[in-house]
């Protein structure tokens, strides 16, 4: 079992990436589940409630049953729940410039400077031509818009715009 999660009390980007990457892995034949440590940020909570989307589970319910962890929208130990064993993290997906690759000795790192980590997860779907389900698509699109401040922020890239357009 693979737990796909983010830092504690994740925002919309962390929540979206966890939910969507778990769906992506399941559709690739893996046993994966999205889980959240703590409470969802109010923006993530509002998107889920407004569009009546499926909620990620409480990661505490499964943390002792997982073999591997995929970490989304986070690339260092700060902000992670202390029950996450860094040696069990197998993949890290993030969009931050500052990170310590030694924090996760067994992980493949996908750290790319785009406006939103949701862009990177969307590109996973795009690459293999799998259309994400409604919950994943809404969350990913919302996260891209939020993190790029409606495509006005200086962190916005053409990849963010292309990922959002593809999700539409």
């Amino acid at each position: 079992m693979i737990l796909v999660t983010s830092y504690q009390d994740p925002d919309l980007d962390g929540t979206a990436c966890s939910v969507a990457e778990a769906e992506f892995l399941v559709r690739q034949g893996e046993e994966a589940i999205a889980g959240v440590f703590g409470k969802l940020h109010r923006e993530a909570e509002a998107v889920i409630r407004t569009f009546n989307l499926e909620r990620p589970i409480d990661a505490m319910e499964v943390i002792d049953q997982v073999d591997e962890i995929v970490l989304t929208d986070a690339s260092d130990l700060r902000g992670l729940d202390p029950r996450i064993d860094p040696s069990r993290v197998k993949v890290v997906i993030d969009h931050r410039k500052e990170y310590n690759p030694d924090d996760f000795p067994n992980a493949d790192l996908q750290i790319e400077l785009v406006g939103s980590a949701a862009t990177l997860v969307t590109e996973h779907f795009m690459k293999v031509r799998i259309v994400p389900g409604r919950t994943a698509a809404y969350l990913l699109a919302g996260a891209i818009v939020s993190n790029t401040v409606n495509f006005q922020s200086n962190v916005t890239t053409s990849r963010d715009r292309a990922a959002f357009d593809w999700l539409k």
Side-chain angles (χ1 to χ4, degrees):
M1 166 83 79
I2 302 168
L3 171 64
V4 186
T5 192
S6 191
Y7 51 85
Q8 197 160 345
D9 305 322
D11 68 359
L12 182 55
D13 200 23
T15 302
C17 290
S18 296
V19 168
E21 187 66 13
E23 178 186 323
F24 179 77
L25 291 171
V26 166
R27 294 186 60 193
Q28 295 292 302
E30 301 284 347
E31 185 180 1
I33 191 156
V36 171
F37 288 96
K39 293 173 38 180
L40 294 176
H41 183 275
R42 66 180 182 264
E43 182 182 36
E45 188 67 50
V47 170
I48 288 171
R49 198 173 45 253
T50 298
F51 296 104
N52 195 29
L53 304 176
E54 194 174 321
R55 305 177 64 77
I57 67 160
D58 180 347
M60 294 302 298
E61 295 178 13
V62 296
I63 189 63
D64 294 329
Q65 303 164 26
V66 300
D67 304 306
E68 298 179 2
I69 298 170
V70 171
L71 197 57
T72 65
D73 195 33
S75 53
D76 62 40
L77 299 174
R78 291 174 292 165
L80 293 185
D81 187 278
R83 287 166 283 259
I84 293 178
D85 176 358
S87 68
R88 289 174 45 202
V89 175
K90 301 302 179 189
V91 176
V92 173
I93 303 166
D94 199 9
H95 64 117
R96 287 172 180 75
K97 184 183 271 188
E98 304 292 325
Y99 66 96
N100 183 359
D102 297 330
D103 283 351
F104 306 102
N106 302 317
D108 291 327
L109 304 177
Q110 182 184 8
I111 314 289
E112 300 179 39
L113 297 179
V114 292
S116 175
T119 295
L120 302 175
V121 173
T122 300
E123 289 175 341
H124 295 172
F125 285 91
M126 292 168 69
K127 182 177 181 181
V128 295
R129 295 186 173 101
I130 294 176
V131 175
R134 179 178 180 271
T135 294
Y138 276 50
L139 289 172
L140 289 169
I144 293 168
V145 169
S146 176
N147 265 39
T148 63
V149 191
N150 201 25
F151 306 100
Q152 301 305 307
S153 173
N154 63 357
V155 299
T156 304
T157 69
S158 60
R159 291 170 64 188
D160 298 302
R161 287 183 181 90
F164 180 79
D165 288 343
W166 185 82
L167 286 166
K168 289 193 300 186

